[in-house]
Amino acid sequence: IPATTQVRYVDVATGNETLTVSDNTLNTYHEIYVSGLKPGTTYLFQGVSISDSYGKSISSPVTLTLQ
């Protein structure tokens, strides 16, 4: 299903939340680069997309600790 691409990520320790800029393009392949993440920090990541068919969708969260 064609949809836009964004990533929401949260620094678990501070609660600081970032939402990447949307590409505003409907695609079936999604790739995004996130920079500025800090080693030793635990982040919660979620994919965020908007499609014509289903509106806004948010993925289940994934938690990662960077090395």
Side-chain angles (χ1 to χ4, degrees):
I1 296 171
T4 61
T5 304
Q6 280 184 289
V7 171
R8 172 186 175 262
Y9 60 97
V10 179
D11 178 326
V12 172
T14 66
N16 289 339
E17 180 178 332
T18 302
L19 184 64
T20 62
V21 176
S22 174
D23 60 5
N24 290 324
T25 304
L26 299 178
N27 293 306
T28 56
Y29 173 81
H30 304 279
E31 180 177 77
I32 196 161
Y33 294 92
V34 177
S35 62
L37 301 178
K38 297 177 249 173
T41 303
T42 300
Y43 293 94
L44 178 145
F45 292 90
Q46 289 179 290
V48 180
S49 63
I50 298 174
S51 71
D52 287 338
S53 302
Y54 295 102
K56 186 174 184 177
S57 297
I58 301 174
S59 72
S60 297
V62 174
T63 303
L64 301 170
T65 301
L66 302 182
Q67 300 297 314

